[in-house]
Amino acid sequence: MRVVIVGGGITGLSAAYFLERAMTEGRWRGEIVLIERATRLGGKILTVREDGFVVEGGPDSILRVKPEGMALLRELGLEEEVITPGSRTVYRLHRGQLVPIPEALLALRPDPRAILRTRGLPWWGRIRALLEPWIPPRRDEGDEPLAAFLRRRFGRAFAEDIAEPLTAGIHAGDPERLSTQALYPHLLALERQFGSIARGLRGVGPFPPSDPLFVSLRSGMGALVDRLVASLQRTHIRMGRTVIGLALSGEGNARRYRVALEDGETLEADRVVLTVPAMEAARQIAAFAPATAARLREIPFASPVVVTLAFRRDQVAHPLQGSGFLVPRKVPFPLTGCTWISSKWPGRAPEEFVLLRAFLREEGNREAIEEEDSVLIQRSMEALRPLLGLHGDPVRAWVHRWPQGMPQYTVGHLERLQAIEEAFRAFPGLLLTGASYRGIGIPDLIRQAREAVTRLLSAHEIGRPDPLTATCGEDRPSAEEIIR
Ligand SMILES: Cc1cc2nc3c(=O)[nH]c(=O)nc-3n(C[C@H](O)[C@H](O)[C@H](O)COP(=O)(O)OP(=O)(O)OC[C@H]3O[C@@H](n4cnc5c(N)ncnc54)[C@H](O)[C@@H]3O)c2cc1C
């Protein structure tokens, strides 16, 4: 049996890893081929190491509380590489000043003391947020825009100043369009089950937890890719090859797939795991499933641009005691946020330098992705100069563009997915997974890859179900289970 995995980002590499593991455990035998368009592996995970600087073009951290990420780091022997943030304080831009966000609020835990301590939030905004336990839950079970959900629960001031930047901000998205159901199902579940988020979380563990929410790797997230690739002993990896389309042959359980590459080569496959972004997956299935391809194309994407700047310490007046700042949507500013990389993570810059990572705002500035590097660097610097007291030009700068790089789970995303997944049932052995569907974070993608492999093995009765994916739980999960 030959399995072809399309895409060599974290999802595709993890799928190859779990398939190899099934092979090692004697649960499966076959050939694995991984096809990657680029001449490097890792997809959005991209670490540049230059002259003592460790610069992340894409992700710079892993959410620790989702177990799949940490489990894979352990299995790959990367525990020693794990680093934790040097400072956890996150600021927000308010009337031209950077004001700290109380730590308890970073995980959207509406702790009354933290709400009362929130600087720059009007008194009526604080009182409205404190009333959250008494706001009746919504009766409608349908999806709701994230912004509407946050306003409904916490009131406009808290939602716009605190909750939106912490949620929609990390998705580079518009909270008026993003789906609460798809992105924050645990908040909805707390509301439904306990009538309120604050009430649901009452008594759940100490907060802020002593362990940090996020971790990273000493030599950058690229180390995860390097280690994962090094662990793949039996996968035939073909880089610099583009899949342009799939074709069907055979019927039912004897269904096979022909994978066409841009250079004219065709591969026969018994199973195909598509881990590419939705619009690419659409192109690949368009010949035999045009309606499903059209639904895949409905998933919109944002195009983040990240500018990383290195300065000598003496060029920066601000003490940078924190991990960075976020910018609420209503504040006119060219950036959505900035991470103070050299304060957040140890070892990212030589001692005498600081490293800043600016996220360009896409909204109303759609051409950012098209602009020259020099323009983007200048724009970031001018925005940061008065806030951080920057003197002179950066000693180095890196620009990373991700055209159509960030899937947007907009309202109705889960229904769209349901229809797509339903349609895929007609194609046994063809699996669709990756950041466009059920979670964009690295631990989510490792989980999705593992689940895809479990489906791939169990759908054809060739393996035991993976005990790790067996779900257990009571009819009414506890708040601990919900937030986990
Ligand atoms: C700027 C930025 C910051 C982020 N920060 C974080 C963070 O801190 N923490 C976190 O957990 N997540 C973060 N994310 C999200 C996370 O990085 C991504 O969701 C994840 O890396 C996507 O992995 P993937 O394997 O699903 O897709 P990708 O990484 O997109 O991989 C898909 C691969 O398929 C290949 N491909 C595409 N088309 C074809 C084709 N036709 N034939 C062959 N190959 C093809 C591509 O070249 C690519 O390598 C961030 C993302 C961005 C852009």
Side-chain angles (χ1 to χ4, degrees):
M1 175 183 290
R2 179 189 278 160
V3 177
V4 171
I5 299 170
V6 186
I10 187 67
T11 314
L13 293 172
S14 303
Y17 173 82
F18 290 117
L19 265 177
E20 285 206 10
R21 196 166 78 179
M23 224 189 285
T24 311
E25 290 168 0
R27 290 196 281 141
W28 180 70
R29 264 192 339 188
E31 184 191 359
I32 311 166
V33 181
L34 186 147
I35 301 174
E36 166 54 52
R37 179 171 61 188
T39 49
R40 63 168 194 92
L41 294 164
K44 306 287 177 326
I45 303 182
L46 168 64
T47 304
V48 178
R49 301 178 190 107
E50 275 176 20
D51 301 331
F53 293 101
V54 179
V55 174
E56 301 286 13
D60 82 333
S61 54
I62 296 185
L63 187 58
R64 194 185 50 81
V65 288
K66 294 198 176 177
E68 293 82 1
M70 296 307 288
L72 185 61
L73 295 182
R74 263 195 307 276
E75 283 172 36
L76 293 172
L78 279 166
E79 263 173 323
E80 301 279 291
E81 274 271 309
V82 170
I83 51 173
T84 53
S87 172
R88 299 205 225 165
T89 310
V90 178
Y91 294 78
R92 76 188 158 98
L93 184 57
H94 172 72
R95 296 195 179 145
Q97 303 285 320
L98 296 179
V99 294
I101 303 176
E103 199 179 341
L105 302 181
L106 297 181
L108 267 200
R109 196 173 167 118
D111 174 69
R113 267 167 311 180
I115 291 173
L116 286 172
R117 281 206 324 269
T118 306
R119 278 173 50 197
L121 197 65
W123 63 265
W124 43 267
R126 294 180 208 201
I127 290 175
R128 174 60 183 79
L130 289 171
L131 289 175
E132 196 272 338
W134 293 276
I135 302 296
R138 181 168 169 256
R139 289 190 187 281
D140 185 347
E141 297 255 308
D143 203 356
E144 187 179 15
L146 182 61
F149 171 81
L150 296 172
R151 275 194 300 264
R152 192 166 57 69
R153 293 300 330 157
F154 301 112
R156 181 176 290 273
F158 186 86
E160 291 182 353
D161 286 4
I162 309 288
E164 273 183 21
L166 289 170
T167 51
I170 52 174
H171 293 274
D174 175 0
E176 302 291 350
R177 295 180 64 217
L178 292 177
S179 155
T180 313
Q181 246 178 17
L183 292 171
Y184 293 96
H186 68 289
L187 297 181
L188 275 181
L190 288 172
E191 180 189 36
R192 284 196 190 129
Q193 190 161 319
F194 299 93
S196 139
I197 296 165
R199 238 186 287 153
L201 291 176
R202 220 168 265 162
V204 176
F207 208 90
S210 45
D211 291 329
L213 287 174
F214 291 96
V215 298
S216 192
L217 297 173
R218 195 171 305 284
S219 52
M221 297 299 298
L224 170 59
V225 174
D226 298 344
R227 199 60 75 85
L228 205 42
V229 174
S231 80
L232 298 178
Q233 299 295 312
R234 313 184 196 199
T235 304
H236 305 283
I237 297 179
R238 303 208 184 166
M239 280 187 275
R241 314 289 294 274
T242 302
V243 173
I244 54 167
L246 305 181
L248 306 177
S249 63
E251 288 292 333
N253 272 353
R255 170 81 78 208
R256 301 193 85 215
Y257 298 89
R258 221 166 292 130
V259 181
L261 306 187
E262 201 171 39
D263 55 15
E265 191 187 340
T266 305
L267 283 172
E268 290 291 329
D270 300 280
R271 311 279 181 263
V272 177
V273 187
L274 291 178
T275 74
V276 294
M279 71 304 236
E280 269 299 320
R283 201 169 307 159
Q284 294 171 12
I285 64 161
F288 58 89
T292 311
R295 297 234 70 178
L296 282 168
R297 282 194 208 96
E298 285 171 16
I299 299 174
F301 283 77
S303 300
V305 178
V306 184
V307 175
T308 308
L309 305 169
F311 289 91
R312 286 192 319 276
R313 267 186 200 276
D314 61 16
Q315 288 181 278
V316 185
H318 196 283
L320 303 180
Q321 280 162 359
S323 62
F325 69 89
L326 298 168
V327 184
R329 192 163 46 116
K330 65 182 184 189
V331 178
F333 197 70
L335 312 179
T336 58
C338 174
T339 311
W340 303 336
I341 294 289
S342 43
S343 307
K344 184 175 177 188
W345 304 116
R348 288 291 193 254
E351 200 44 45
E352 65 278 23
F353 293 95
V354 299
L355 206 52
L356 307 172
R357 178 162 126 119
F359 296 84
L360 274 289
R361 193 182 281 257
E362 193 181 5
E363 210 182 6
N365 193 10
R366 300 213 172 271
E367 77 283 11
I369 198 87
E370 310 282 338
E371 297 270 26
E372 297 279 320
D373 282 8
S374 56
V375 173
L376 296 171
I377 293 167
Q378 195 64 29
R379 188 179 295 164
S380 311
M381 241 167 49
E382 276 163 17
L384 293 173
R385 195 182 298 284
L387 280 180
L388 304 182
L390 304 179
H391 304 289
D393 291 336
V395 288
R396 299 188 82 128
W398 297 260
V399 177
H400 291 101
R401 295 177 178 75
W402 299 106
Q404 302 270 290
M406 192 73 103
Q408 301 290 290
Y409 298 178
T410 50
V411 171
H413 182 77
L414 293 186
E415 281 108 77
R416 204 174 294 134
L417 280 194
Q418 213 175 349
I420 292 168
E421 286 165 0
E422 197 72 41
F424 263 71
R425 294 228 175 103
F427 311 112
L430 177 59
L431 291 133
L432 184 68
T433 185
S436 304
Y437 313 108
R438 295 193 183 271
I440 66 160
I442 290 168
D444 297 308
L445 296 166
I446 295 168
R447 171 185 50 78
Q448 288 177 60
R450 198 190 60 210
E451 287 169 356
V453 167
T454 304
R455 281 206 307 280
L456 193 147
L457 299 180
S458 60
H460 303 279
E461 294 165 8
I462 17 181
R464 298 190 301 270
D466 181 345
L468 285 171
T469 50
T471 47
C472 54
E474 296 155 13
D475 289 341
R476 286 171 63 80
S478 67
E480 276 96 342
E481 280 167 333
I482 289 172
I483 58 173
R484 214 181 300 136

